[in-house]
Amino acid sequence: MTAELVRGQNHTLPQTRLEIRVSAGTPVVAGATLGDENGTVRGTEWIAHPGSPQLPGLEVSRQAAADHRLAVDLDALPDPVHRVTVLLALPTGIGCPVRFGAVAAPYVAVTGLDGTEIATFTLTGLDTESAVTALELYRRQGAWKVRAVGQGYAAGLAAMLADQGLPQAAELAHTIQEAVTRATARSVAPPPPRTPDTDRVGHGTGPVRPADRSRPPVAPPTAAQPPESLTEPTAQPSAATTGPINYAHPRRRATAPPPPPPTAPPAEPGRPAQPVAGDATGWSMDERLYNQIWGMFEDLARTTAAYRSAVDFAESRMDQELDRSLSDPRNRIGGAGDRAREQARAKRDELTARAREALDRDLTQLAAESAVVEPALPAAFAGWDNPVWHAYRVPMEIPMALRIGELHLPESPELRIPLLVRLPLERGIWVDSGRTASEAAALMDTAQLRRLAMENAVAHAARLLAVYPADEFSVHVIDPAGSAAGALAPLVASGALAGPPAAGAGGVASVLARLTRRVDLVQMAIRAGAADSLPPDLDTGEQLLIVNDFPHGFDDRAVTQLRYLADEGPSVGVHLLMVADREDASAYGPVLDPLWRSLLRITPVADDHLADPWVGHAWTYEPLRMPPGSRVLERVLARVAAARRPRRA
């Protein structure tokens, strides 16, 4: 069975002769580095690239291509090699895309020689990066595994190679790009693409590392990554817009943002800096808060990783000391052995206590920062219990991100980090209504999970409606059996929906046909550069389709249309919000695998299914909850509907 990996997740490899297949939709440079047991690349002779494509046990392509097949024989690698890292980069030159956010997300599959997929990874969330570490094969305790990495570099191939520890990274990057250019000159030029790659805009869901955070770091960084740069500002599309429709965020810049203003006095010597809201770089307060939140995420990940590593070291040291003590026969008789065990355990407890003390100190600092950041968040970043929602007004412009939940770790369950996704959405969302392995799901029956999943989807739709300007976001609903009438009541009663929920096979077909037509027409207008020729009745605003109880009410044609919307819709402003149990669609087999893979999976109850790309923690996702007895959802939807009526009248 194929393992569909997310960032940070690993999977055991059942064989040693493999192919790594890359599908990028646009020509990319593929290469690989070899690392020893410490991950160190010992020199340029341990790098396979188009200018030097063959190493013992490894062979890569000689030129840039949209599809690659890298051959790997793990048994043939040199003995010191414990790691194989697969690298992707965009070629330089006139007409080449300059960032992965402008092209389709690369897809990487580790397969057997017969083509059977062992593990796959889709590199979503890339934006300004022009080089990315895709995945790594590594040996641990005699067994080989694959880990999804997805680490991007806005500074390009040279920065990625420098992060591998190569002292002459810039010269090697230049050599690789020259080899690609020579190979391209010898090859036959491909036909022109059907759609201009530059019209596709990708927006990452991953963190933007702040270039400067004035408070002291809680743990040393694990790897250097240049801060993401920002794209040129563009106008939002409308029916009267001329030229290609561009869904890029209107407030992004291409130059470096200014540092945060000095809003707090300097810290006294020996005392931590007083946390302040907006303590990160950015062009606006919202952007500084966004970067600060992801900085908090990284700090929590790093300090927890340091604590876990220290505990593992203490346990390992105790085991080694006990082994040495018990290997001496004299210590097996009398009290010498007992004293040795007590001393080893005491040392273990001392090291663990010191690690916990450091962790608690860092957690206290992060908790203090969270306490000042949460009240300062705008509505799009805030939870439902934030007072900012009581003063809600329909915005005049789209925010840069939206909060869809919270993340926490077992060492600090009370410290919650907001989970933000960039807007416009780059991929759809799947609210998994099936029974997961979490403790919260085990306490509920199937009907409760389905009801909670639909209520969760309605709350997400309401947040999207609330953060977009009036009439720039529409919500459609497919509820084939009408089973979600109760959960949909706030949307229906407020009049915020684009139309009544579609029921039955006929309703499913009608809604899918309308949205498929919209995607087709906008794509054709983009290709022809004739946005002004769109039909006057076509809504060019962002569209969200909520699908309940999939695949009930869907025939084969409807399933195909849904997959089409999931693949092609986000680039032209049509997004999916699926409420489904994957087991219900098991009859379709692998046909639906690309659909599930394209969606961001969240759950209606707490579940630890999300992994971060740096240290591989399993983060617990916590859905947003309404305060008991609160009517904030109804009030927000009423204001959204009221803002729309004067324009439609």
Side-chain angles (χ1 to χ4, degrees), residues 307-379:
Y307 169 72
R308 292 180 181 180
S309 177
V311 171
D312 290 344
F313 171 76
E315 293 285 348
S316 175
R317 176 171 176 166
M318 182 188 69
D319 292 340
Q320 292 174 4
E321 290 179 353
L322 290 175
D323 288 343
R324 285 196 299 268
S325 175
L326 295 177
S327 64
D328 187 348
R330 293 172 296 179
N331 291 335
R332 300 175 188 173
I333 303 174
D338 293 337
R339 287 193 298 272
R341 281 189 287 269
E342 290 175 2
Q343 291 173 357
R345 293 191 181 101
K347 187 63 175 178
R348 185 270 316 271
D349 293 342
E350 178 189 355
L351 293 174
T352 302
R354 284 162 51 188
R356 185 71 210 195
E357 181 182 355
L359 175 66
D360 289 341
R361 183 178 62 249
D362 296 339
L363 292 179
T364 299
Q365 177 73 6
L366 283 170
E369 184 172 14
S370 178
V372 299
V373 168
E374 281 286 354
L377 295 178

Side-chain angles (χ1 to χ4, degrees), residues 75 108 142 173 229 325 438 480 509 647:
D75 290 335
V108 184
S229 59
S325 175
S438 70
R647 300 189 177 203

Side-chain angles (χ1 to χ4, degrees), residues 28-117:
V28 297
V29 181
T33 61
L34 305 180
D36 58 20
E37 58 184 350
N38 297 317
T40 303
V41 181
R42 298 185 177 180
T44 56
E45 66 276 7
W46 273 27
I47 302 178
H49 57 82
S52 178
Q54 291 183 335
L55 294 177
L58 179 64
E59 183 174 0
V60 303
S61 304
R62 294 178 178 271
Q63 63 185 30
D67 296 290
H68 291 272
R69 290 191 178 187
L70 283 64
V72 181
D73 186 351
L74 299 175
D75 290 335
L77 295 173
D79 290 338
V81 173
H82 282 67
R83 191 181 305 268
V84 179
T85 304
V86 178
L87 315 175
L88 302 178
L90 293 172
T92 58
I94 298 175
C96 296
V98 296
R99 59 189 183 92
F100 275 109
V103 300
Y107 174 76
V108 184
V110 180
T111 74
L113 297 183
D114 59 353
T116 302
E117 290 187 344

Side-chain angles (χ1 to χ4, degrees), residues 353-552:
R354 284 162 51 188
R356 185 71 210 195
E357 181 182 355
L359 175 66
D360 289 341
R361 183 178 62 249
D362 296 339
L363 292 179
T364 299
Q365 177 73 6
L366 283 170
E369 184 172 14
S370 178
V372 299
V373 168
E374 281 286 354
L377 295 178
F381 297 3
W384 287 116
D385 57 349
N386 194 307
V388 70
W389 284 106
H390 296 287
Y392 167 75
R393 294 291 184 272
V394 177
M396 300 299 293
E397 58 184 10
I398 304 171
M400 68 183 304
L402 180 73
R403 185 172 184 160
I404 63 169
E406 297 171 341
L407 301 173
H408 61 86
L409 291 170
E411 287 81 0
S412 53
E414 70 286 346
L415 180 58
R416 308 291 177 90
I417 306 295
L419 175 59
L420 305 178
V421 294
R422 296 293 285 266
L423 293 180
L425 294 173
E426 183 194 25
R427 59 194 298 204
I429 297 175
W430 165 29
V431 184
D432 190 351
S433 60
R435 185 172 299 282
T436 64
S438 70
E439 183 177 334
L443 299 175
M444 297 184 181
D445 59 29
T446 302
Q448 287 178 301
L449 285 172
R450 292 181 186 274
R451 177 180 56 80
L452 276 179
M454 194 61 198
E455 290 175 353
N456 194 262
V458 169
H460 288 309
R463 292 177 72 88
L464 284 164
L465 283 166
V467 302
Y468 271 79
D471 292 329
E472 290 194 18
F473 196 89
S474 300
V475 177
H476 311 263
V477 176
I478 289 178
D479 185 20
S483 59
L488 290 169
L491 288 174
V492 175
S494 66
L497 289 178
V508 171
S510 176
V511 172
L512 290 176
R514 287 201 308 272
L515 292 178
T516 301
R517 171 179 175 269
R518 183 199 178 282
V519 171
D520 289 339
L521 290 175
V522 174
Q523 282 187 339
M524 287 189 291
I526 290 175
R527 293 169 188 164
D532 54 346
S533 64
L534 289 170
D537 63 335
L538 189 73
D539 183 3
T540 57
E542 301 276 314
Q543 311 285 315
L544 178 72
L545 174 60
I546 302 177
V547 179
N548 184 42
D549 275 349
F550 177 80
H552 302 299

